[in-house]
């Protein structure tokens, strides 16, 4: 039971009735009965430090004690006006592991709720997080990952901090949920599920691989309009443009061939049988060779662009996924998922000259414009490699990263990590390698690239059939 600040009313919860009674103390009469929801059990009630609001928490469980529905009743004590917030099902906290009840900011604008997702792979690890939900429209505005399972959450009296206790440590989370720089400023609707992206050297056009419709779309970036389309082979998975922008090389996940598209008329001029399905492709800065990653062959095929002939086959680690070539064209870095390594290829002799460990690098590699660092998306971290001696200089804690893009000025790395129904973009400052921002995008996403003018980041949103255009922090 809670008493109003003026002492006129008592607020009493009824677990059996799934309701809250407001009792006028002067005559002990019930002036209002608030029904929370059928089958909802009230488990907590509290009053905000400023005494302006009462928060009542209730949930409905299934036979296995999993949360099926969760509601928060907000009662303004000045006039007993009621607002019921129903948490969307996809944001519900999981019953296993046991999780604490959510907390609401004093003004009722944001709800903090624990969330657990199950990351795939070898062990199906549990990944704990705290969701921040904007109550005005019940939209998830941020997801903050914690180092352990949250056991208790408390909000500061001024409403500016949330304290998350997860056993050995307590994390402090700021209430601010808006990011003025990294915001989605536009979207481009696609007739398919966009996955891979490539930009022309002048930044005027963006090529998009839609892997469900087997098409390549051409987007004019000046007005974000789709101006062309080409049908490709099965499931285009990666794109690479020649430096002169005249040809686009397309890797396919379900074909042993790669396609070569002439960009002047968007026609396929040839296909090249590389002897296995491909997962990524990169072109040397001089435009003479294309390096094609073949995950099931544990090799990288070298294609001479002048005549589109395979001139070499380089053995790398097990299950190669991604490739990136240094700006001087001397080396290629290849991430190998099965062998948990990164292979270093000397392009002058087309041989692997070094291999170093990175735990299950499922994602892509990006190299800074000055060629000093390679950012590798590992399984639980982004590993920063110093290319001068190939030493690991930093491991940045980012759970399940899948793609990395670096801004043209080399100041920021954008990392795409995804799970369940949404994606999170993590922004890393270079060279101090600290996380400076993170923001959410709806649905699953594919590759991420930085616009050559440094103003925008493009993200392939194949879950939403859209390209997301994000204002880059470099543009500030």
């Amino acid at each position: 039971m809670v008493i109003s600040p003026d002492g006129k009313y008592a607020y009493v919860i009824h677990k059996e009735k799934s309701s809250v009674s407001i009792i006028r103390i002067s005559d002990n009469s019930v002036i209002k009965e608030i029904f929370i929801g059928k089958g909802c059990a009230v488990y907590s009630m509290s009053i905000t430090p400023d005494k302006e609001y009462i928060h009542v928490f209730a949930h409905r469980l299934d036979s296995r004690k999993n949360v099926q529905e969760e509601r928060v009743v907000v009662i303004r004590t000045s006039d007993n006006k009621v607002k019921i917030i129903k948490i969307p099902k996809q944001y519900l906290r999981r019953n296993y592991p046991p999780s604490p009840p959510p907390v609401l900011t004093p003004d009722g604008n944001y709800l903090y709720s624990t969330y657990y997702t199950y990351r795939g792979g070898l062990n199906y690890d549990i990944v704990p997080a705290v969701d921040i939900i904007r109550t005005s429209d019940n939209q998830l505005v941020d997801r903050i990952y914690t180092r352990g399972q949250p056991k208790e959450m408390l909000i500061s009296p001024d409403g500016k901090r949330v304290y998350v206790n997860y056993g050995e440590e307590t994390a402090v989370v700021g209430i601010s949920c808006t990011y003025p720089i990294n915001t989605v400023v536009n979207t481009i609707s696609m007739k398919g599920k966009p996955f891979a992206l490539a930009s022309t050297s002048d930044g005027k056009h963006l090529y998009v691989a839609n892997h469900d419709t087997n098409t390549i779309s051409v987007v004019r970036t000046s007005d974000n309009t789709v101006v062309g389309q080409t049908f490709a082979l099965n499931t285009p998975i990666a794109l690479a443009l020649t430096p002169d922008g005249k040809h686009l090389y397309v890797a396919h996940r379900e074909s042993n061939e790669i396609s070569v598209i002439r960009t002047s008329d968007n026609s396929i001029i040839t296909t090249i049988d590389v002897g296995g399905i491909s997962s990524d492709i990169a072109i040397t800065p001089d435009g003479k060779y294309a390096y094609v990653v073949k995950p099931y062959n544990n090799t990288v095929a070298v294609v001479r662009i002048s005549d589109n002939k395979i001139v070499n086959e380089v053995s790398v680690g097990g299950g190669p996924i991604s490739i990136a070539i240094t700006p001087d064209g001397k080396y290629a870095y290849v991430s190998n998922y099965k062998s948990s390594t990164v292979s270093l290829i000397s392009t002058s002799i087309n041989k692997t000259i070094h291999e170093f460990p990175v735990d299950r690098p499922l994602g892509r590699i990006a190299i800074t414009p000055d060629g000093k660092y390679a950012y590798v998306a590992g399984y639980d971290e982004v590993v920063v490699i110093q290319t001068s001696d190939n030493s690991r200089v930093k491991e940045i804690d980012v759970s399940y990263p899948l793609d990395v893009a670096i801004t043209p000025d080399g100041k920021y790395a954008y990392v795409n990590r995804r799970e369940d129904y949404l994606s999170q973009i993590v922004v890393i400052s270079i060279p101090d390698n600290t996380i400076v921002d993170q923001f959410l995008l709806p649905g699953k996403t594919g590759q991420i690239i930085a616009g050559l003018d440094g103003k925008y980041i493009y993200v392939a949103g194949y879950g939403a059939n859209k390209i997301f255009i994000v204002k880059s922090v470099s543009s500030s």
Side-chain angles (χ1 to χ4, degrees):
M1 183 175 66
V2 173
I3 305 295
S4 62
D6 57 11
K8 292 182 178 180
Y9 301 99
Y11 301 84
V12 181
I13 59 176
H14 302 282
K15 293 184 178 181
E16 297 81 6
K17 297 181 180 179
S18 298
S19 66
V20 177
S21 297
I22 303 177
I23 301 173
R24 187 168 51 217
I25 294 177
S26 61
D27 58 2
N28 289 323
S29 61
V30 177
I31 63 169
K32 184 180 286 189
E33 189 86 14
I34 305 167
F35 181 68
I36 297 173
K38 185 178 181 180
C40 287
V42 179
Y43 62 86
S44 176
M45 182 168 62
S46 61
I47 190 166
T48 58
D50 58 12
K51 309 296 183 182
E52 291 185 8
Y53 297 95
I54 290 173
H55 298 157
V56 182
F57 295 92
H59 58 206
R60 180 172 56 84
L61 307 179
D62 62 14
S63 59
R64 301 178 64 184
K65 304 298 183 182
N66 290 314
V67 178
Q68 294 298 302
E69 184 178 349
E70 189 141 26
R71 296 187 178 194
V72 183
V73 179
V74 183
I75 306 171
R76 188 164 59 195
T77 58
S78 60
D79 57 4
N80 288 320
K81 186 176 181 179
V82 176
K83 176 183 179 182
I84 297 180
I85 302 168
K86 183 178 180 181
I87 302 176
K89 189 173 183 179
Q90 65 266 36
Y91 306 148
L92 291 180
R93 60 196 178 96
R94 304 293 174 84
N95 187 57
Y96 178 81
S99 56
V103 295
L104 199 64
T105 55
D107 58 11
N109 290 337
Y110 294 99
L111 180 78
Y112 283 68
S113 178
T114 55
Y115 182 86
Y116 298 94
T117 186
Y118 295 85
R119 183 181 54 210
L122 299 179
N123 299 318
Y124 287 91
D125 304 322
I126 295 171
V127 181
V130 175
D131 278 354
I132 306 175
I133 301 167
R134 186 173 54 222
T135 59
S136 60
D137 55 5
N138 282 337
Q139 289 299 307
L140 182 68
V141 296
D142 206 351
R143 172 167 289 171
I144 300 170
Y145 291 86
T146 59
R147 296 180 182 177
Q149 299 170 11
K151 300 181 183 300
E152 184 181 15
M153 289 194 297
L154 296 173
I155 198 161
S156 61
D158 60 6
K160 293 183 178 180
R161 295 286 185 271
V162 170
Y163 295 87
V164 183
N165 175 16
Y166 45 89
E168 298 178 354
E169 299 181 50
T170 297
V172 182
V173 179
I175 294 296
S176 175
C177 303
T178 58
Y179 302 116
I181 301 300
N182 289 300
T183 54
V184 177
V185 296
N186 209 340
T187 60
I188 307 170
S189 296
M190 307 299 295
K191 294 181 179 179
K193 295 185 179 299
F195 186 82
L197 304 171
S199 175
T200 54
S201 58
D202 58 11
K204 292 182 178 180
H205 291 92
L206 187 71
Y207 286 83
V208 183
N210 308 295
H211 68 180
D212 64 326
T213 57
N214 298 326
T215 57
I216 308 296
S217 299
V218 186
V219 175
R220 186 171 56 215
T221 57
S222 60
D223 57 2
N224 296 319
T225 301
V226 177
V227 295
Q229 183 169 278
T230 300
F231 284 93
L233 297 175
N234 289 342
T235 319
I237 196 73
L239 305 173
L241 273 162
T242 54
D244 60 12
K246 292 182 178 181
H247 296 96
L248 178 72
Y249 283 70
V250 184
H252 301 275
R253 191 174 66 185
E254 297 181 11
S255 173
N256 288 351
E257 296 178 309
I258 63 172
S259 306
V260 183
I261 296 175
R262 184 170 54 213
T263 58
S264 59
D265 58 3
N266 294 319
S267 61
I268 296 178
I269 59 172
T270 190
T271 58
I272 306 167
D273 189 343
V274 294
I277 67 169
S278 48
S279 61
D280 200 9
I281 190 167
I283 294 176
T284 53
D286 59 11
K288 291 183 178 180
Y289 298 97
Y291 283 70
V292 184
V293 178
K294 298 160 58 179
Y296 294 116
N297 299 69
N298 300 331
T299 60
V300 174
V302 184
V303 177
R304 186 170 55 214
I305 287 178
S306 60
D307 57 4
N308 288 316
K309 301 292 185 183
I310 296 176
V311 295
N312 218 315
E313 192 97 3
V314 184
S315 296
V316 291
I321 294 291
S322 175
I323 187 169
I325 297 175
T326 54
D328 60 11
K330 293 181 179 180
Y331 302 100
Y333 286 80
V334 181
S335 60
N336 309 301
Y337 176 72
K338 288 185 178 179
S339 61
S340 289
T341 59
V342 172
S343 300
L344 179 64
I345 297 173
S346 170
T347 57
S348 61
I349 59 176
N350 283 322
K351 286 186 178 180
T352 296
I353 59 173
H354 185 57
E355 197 161 291
F356 46 90
V358 173
D359 185 29
R360 290 171 285 174
L362 182 62
R364 292 165 60 83
I365 300 176
I367 298 175
T368 54
D370 59 11
K372 291 183 178 180
Y373 301 100
Y375 283 71
V376 184
Y379 188 67
D380 254 332
E381 61 191 4
V382 175
V383 179
V384 185
I385 305 296
Q386 185 171 267
T387 58
S388 59
D389 57 3
N390 292 309
S391 61
R392 297 164 67 116
V393 297
K394 184 77 172 181
E395 293 89 21
I396 305 168
D397 187 15
V398 178
S399 177
Y400 204 34
L402 290 181
D403 200 8
V404 185
I406 296 175
T407 53
D409 58 11
K411 292 182 178 180
Y412 298 95
Y414 281 70
V415 181
N416 176 20
R417 63 166 310 280
R418 68 176 185 263
E419 39 89 357
D420 288 354
Y421 56 91
L422 54 77
S423 296
Q424 184 181 51
I425 308 299
V426 178
V427 187
I428 299 170
S429 175
I430 301 173
D432 57 345
N433 293 315
T434 57
I435 295 176
V436 296
D437 204 358
Q438 55 187 7
F439 56 95
L440 295 171
L441 294 175
K444 294 182 178 181
T445 55
Q447 291 181 9
I448 178 172
I449 66 170
L452 297 182
D453 58 5
K455 293 182 179 179
Y456 302 105
I457 304 295
Y458 296 89
V459 185
Y462 74 85
N465 288 16
K466 291 179 180 180
I467 302 295
F468 295 102
I469 304 174
V470 179
K471 185 180 178 183
S472 167
V473 69
S474 289
S475 65
S476 61

